[in-house]
Amino acid sequence: MADTLSITDNRTGKKYEVPISDGTIRAMDLRQIKAAPDDFGLMTYDPAFLNTANCRSAITYIDGEKGILLYRGYPIEQLAEESDYLETAYLILFGELPTHNQLQQWTSQITNHTMLHENIKKFMEGFQYDAHPMGIFLSTVGALSTFYPDAKDIFDKDSRMKQIYRLIAKVPSIAAYAFRHSIGRPYNYPDNDLSFAGNFLNMLFRMTEVKYQPNPVLARALDVLFILHADHEQNCSTTTMRTIGSSQVDPYSGLAGAAAALYGPLHGGANEAVLRMLNEIGSVAKVPEFIKKVKAGEGKLMGFGHRVYKSYDPRAKVIKRIADLVFAVTGKNPLLDIALELERIALQDDYFVTRKLYPNVDFYSGLIYQAMGFPTEMFPVLFAIPRTAGWVAQWEEMLLDSETKIARPRQIYTGPVQRDYVPRDKRS
Ligand code: ACO
């Protein structure tokens, strides 16, 4: 017998059989349930999409209870150990690990697209010296749509591919220029001899040396952080990318919106918030007092908790290991002891245990970024660079899905019933 859900409407006594597939029912199947012929039909109410699958996706799998994260079936721990960001981006986009030749071609395409149009540089120069780099980043990504009008041809496979190369290749250049702008230094052009992460470090930190030599430990650590952040199924920014993309706008405009969603402190801005929190706490001795305040509802323990993970975020485990490697080069971040003490207390405190609140990816990433010399304002930008792979993969998957329609949820109207306009002199 096929899986179905039997529903009896107590208002009418009518019975309905609603098919169940993939552990879901289709919300539209409920529309047939009407109290009267002119009734609109039953809807579901799900603010923040807590229990609504918005799409079918073959890209990323998360088991939040068990702390499992897979890209195209491959465990994140194995990719972090064995792969590099560009290979992982290829996997996320095309579904399979590349052959040697495919990887070479992919890497050369990305490398060839790292330069920014000189007018983009001029555009970026217009920002105030103290502009937040994430504000610069998302505005500049949006502005790319005016430089590449061919990007509107979203149903042409070759055009889509070209925009994907451009986006993945240019976001580090934009991020680096935003950083250099904020510290008043000249922009550095890409060095195509270097790896993806090595070139990014070059664009950020090169001074007067002719050839920048990235520290291999730091370049690898950054690359692994990029792998960990490359995709995370239907999170807030990815949902934004899909929603904007469903109107069939070009991907640069979509990505500007996705980056804006990432900017918020509950999403990609969380690692910036973690560092502020650790600075505010100030010392290990003050950790118990801070935890007490959080439990009393006076603020959150930033970098803890996740909508999907109800156990230790697997990315946080990998990051903790990388932190040791990075600190061996840069010296230990003095805030690390406060973070470790926060984690130690929270993991045995009833408040956090019963709510299944564990460290998420952002709890330790900020400490690493800070030790590597990034100001906190750069943290969300560092998240946006690798997430670009996930955003464009999810955008393309959405476009090619025959079930895609423009995203347009319903509402429960709570305003006044229809009434007549009152002339100004008659209003009390
Ligand atoms: N500190 C203290 N209490 C928390 C925290 C936290 N970090 N997170 C959740 N809670 C509490 C809530 O107050 C709530 O308690 P209650 O049941 O007594 O009301 C309970 O745990 C459930 O929390 P919700 O807010 O319902 O969980 P939701 O799934 O909506 O939120 C979120 C998830 C936004 C990540 C939340 O845990 C949070 O704000 N964390 C801090 C910010 C953060 O680190 N964000 C990064 C997320 S990862 C990423 O985007 C890459």
Side-chain angles (χ1 to χ4, degrees):
M1 202 179 85
D3 284 346
T4 58
L5 175 71
S6 306
I7 301 175
T8 305
D9 187 345
N10 287 333
R11 299 169 301 177
T12 58
K14 276 197 194 161
K15 291 186 189 312
Y16 302 86
E17 290 296 318
V18 176
I20 299 176
S21 69
D22 299 314
T24 59
I25 59 165
R26 282 187 176 257
M28 277 306 284
D29 284 346
L30 300 179
R31 190 68 76 74
Q32 58 181 313
I33 303 176
K34 299 179 182 209
D38 62 348
D39 183 353
F40 181 78
L42 205 63
M43 286 197 299
T44 55
Y45 177 57
D46 189 10
F49 310 119
L50 287 171
N51 196 37
T52 295
N54 174 42
C55 60
R56 304 174 76 85
S57 181
I59 301 172
T60 292
Y61 173 80
I62 302 175
D63 183 329
E65 294 296 327
K66 296 194 183 125
I68 293 172
L69 169 60
L70 313 175
Y71 294 159
R72 301 283 188 181
Y74 293 102
I76 193 68
E77 295 83 355
Q78 289 180 24
L79 292 168
E81 193 65 37
E82 312 274 350
S83 184
D84 59 43
Y85 169 68
L86 275 190
E87 183 185 67
T88 300
Y90 182 101
L91 170 71
I92 285 174
L93 269 154
F94 303 106
E96 295 297 336
L97 287 168
T99 62
H100 187 70
N101 279 349
Q102 286 168 331
L103 185 60
Q104 250 184 354
Q105 276 173 27
W106 168 245
T107 305
S108 116
Q109 282 290 1
I110 298 297
T111 309
N112 284 338
H113 284 90
T114 49
M115 296 280 277
L116 296 179
H117 193 292
E118 286 295 297
N119 283 346
I120 292 177
K121 249 173 70 178
K122 288 189 197 145
F123 173 84
M124 295 178 80
E125 278 159 11
F127 285 96
Q128 276 287 71
Y129 72 94
D130 59 352
H132 195 293
M134 191 62 171
I136 301 181
F137 177 85
L138 68 92
S139 316
T140 308
V141 168
L144 288 184
S145 74
T146 65
F147 287 81
Y148 303 117
D150 58 316
K152 291 192 181 354
D153 209 357
I154 55 170
F155 291 111
D156 180 86
K157 190 168 182 244
D158 294 340
S159 167
R160 270 202 315 273
M161 213 48 251
K162 192 161 199 181
Q163 316 318 324
I164 288 172
Y165 292 141
R166 283 175 173 156
L167 269 164
I168 291 180
K170 289 185 199 307
V171 285
S173 311
I174 294 173
Y177 281 23
F179 171 68
R180 298 286 289 196
H181 183 80
S182 68
I183 56 170
R185 295 212 172 120
Y187 304 151
N188 285 329
Y189 285 111
D191 178 344
N192 288 349
D193 292 342
L194 297 173
S195 68
F196 188 83
N199 170 50
F200 181 48
L201 290 172
N202 155 69
M203 290 189 292
L204 289 162
F205 298 126
R206 186 165 70 82
M207 298 300 287
T208 52
E209 63 271 39
V210 177
K211 183 86 181 163
Y212 179 82
Q213 301 290 351
N215 179 299
V217 175
L218 300 187
R220 176 62 191 158
L222 196 57
D223 205 55
V224 174
L225 283 161
F226 284 172
I227 293 173
L228 299 179
H229 285 88
D231 192 52
H232 212 232
E233 53 122 299
Q234 308 312 316
N235 55 81
C236 178
S237 55
T238 301
T239 301
T240 305
M241 183 78 195
R242 281 180 174 263
T243 301
I244 298 178
S246 75
S247 75
Q248 300 185 357
V249 73
D250 68 88
Y252 303 103
S253 303
L255 213 116
L262 188 71
Y263 195 178
L266 296 190
H267 192 10
N271 49 13
E272 194 178 343
V274 169
L275 261 267
R276 260 194 226 110
M277 175 188 76
L278 295 176
N279 276 316
E280 267 168 42
I281 297 172
S283 73
V284 171
K286 292 197 179 139
V287 167
E289 188 191 324
F290 178 78
I291 295 263
K292 218 164 142 189
K293 279 192 190 158
V294 169
K295 286 162 62 179
E298 296 170 36
K300 278 184 171 173
L301 176 47
M302 297 311 286
F304 258 66
H306 199 275
R307 172 61 59 76
V308 182
Y309 292 119
K310 300 302 167 200
S311 66
Y312 214 102
D313 181 336
R315 300 168 300 173
K317 276 189 198 151
V318 177
I319 286 191
K320 241 178 131 175
R321 275 205 311 276
I322 301 174
D324 293 334
L325 301 176
V326 170
F327 296 156
V329 174
T330 61
K332 196 173 86 176
N333 188 323
L335 297 175
L336 177 68
D337 289 336
I338 303 176
L340 287 169
E341 181 65 358
L342 272 174
E343 180 183 337
R344 191 188 67 78
I345 297 188
L347 289 184
Q348 55 191 27
D349 188 300
D350 232 31
Y351 175 95
F352 298 93
V353 173
T354 51
R355 288 171 177 78
K356 297 187 176 174
L357 299 171
Y358 293 86
N360 60 48
V361 68
D362 283 327
F363 193 64
Y364 289 105
S365 61
L367 290 172
I368 301 180
Y369 293 144
Q370 194 180 50
M372 289 173 81
F374 291 106
T376 44
E377 294 74 30
M378 274 300 283
F379 295 178
V381 182
L382 294 169
F383 193 154
I385 292 170
R387 185 53 60 87
T388 296
W391 287 331
V392 290
Q394 300 263 356
W395 165 72
E396 189 170 48
E397 185 178 58
M398 175 276 306
L399 279 182
L400 300 181
D401 186 337
S402 60
E403 285 201 274
T404 291
K405 285 181 186 292
I406 186 166
R408 204 313 184 179
R410 310 296 305 207
Q411 63 167 10
I412 298 173
Y413 177 67
T414 59
V417 292
Q418 185 174 329
R419 50 188 171 162
D420 288 327
Y421 180 80
V422 182
R424 279 178 207 165
D425 58 352
K426 300 255 166 57
R427 293 175 209 162
S428 52

